Amino acid sequence: MLTAADVGLVTNVMKGINAPESLIQRITALLTSNSDGLVGTEVMPVGTGHFGGSTTGHRLGVNAQMAHQEAVDEFRKLADSLRTYSDAIKLWADEVRDVDGSTNAEMTMRAAALAQVTDHIDQARDQSSSTTMGDGQYTEPPAAGDGA
């Protein structure tokens, strides 16, 4: 049977990826109902004598023990990787939780800066067409050495 921690792990991962609550409930119910059938089930260790007393039988028993141990190790690795995945999902969810707010603040700041630049450009354009800027005729600067 799944423990409360296992159910919580699955629930946290699913919430971290914004899965609908109905989907989370269906998945946890499915896992819980299927794990109920495994309560008390343990893989019986296979001794080296189960395959007879010959050298080949002994070797088969050793190989069976190694295979069982490897399967146990892999299931433990799987459980550990699911826990690590859950932690990674939590970190990711924490990082992206404020992305919309941060992005909105950044875009507001950039829009304000752009508006300020646009205002300056408009003001410069207005000043360049002002009547106080001269008559629009180009005049050569005085030559050097005129004593000016």
Side-chain angles (χ1 to χ4, degrees), residues 95-142:
E95 285 180 20
V96 299
R97 182 175 299 127
D98 298 324
V99 165
D100 288 342
S102 299
T103 302
N104 190 31
E106 177 74 19
M107 294 306 289
T108 301
M109 184 179 73
R110 288 179 186 233
L114 182 62
Q116 188 176 18
V117 168
T118 302
D119 287 347
H120 287 348
I121 290 172
D122 289 342
Q123 289 172 0
R125 187 177 299 123
D126 292 344
Q127 287 177 1
S128 68
S129 63
S130 164
T131 58
T132 62
M133 293 293 289
D135 60 5
Q137 300 295 318
Y138 178 73
T139 308
E140 287 287 333

Side-chain angles (χ1 to χ4, degrees), residues 19-92:
E21 190 63 35
S22 60
L23 177 63
I24 295 171
Q25 290 172 356
R26 285 195 329 246
I27 288 174
T28 54
L30 180 68
L31 290 172
T32 304
S33 65
N34 285 325
S35 70
D36 289 343
L38 298 175
V39 173
T41 303
E42 291 187 27
V43 176
M44 295 295 295
V46 177
T48 56
H50 281 83
F51 295 97
S54 68
T55 304
T56 303
H58 177 76
R59 192 74 215 142
L60 284 171
V62 169
N63 288 343
Q65 286 176 338
M66 289 176 14
H68 283 174
Q69 186 58 49
E70 194 64 32
V72 167
D73 293 344
E74 289 303 314
F75 278 113
R76 286 187 178 138
K77 288 178 191 175
L78 175 64
D80 290 341
S81 70
L82 287 174
R83 287 183 193 96
T84 303
Y85 181 70
S86 173
D87 293 340
I89 291 289
K90 287 176 192 172
L91 288 173
W92 174 80

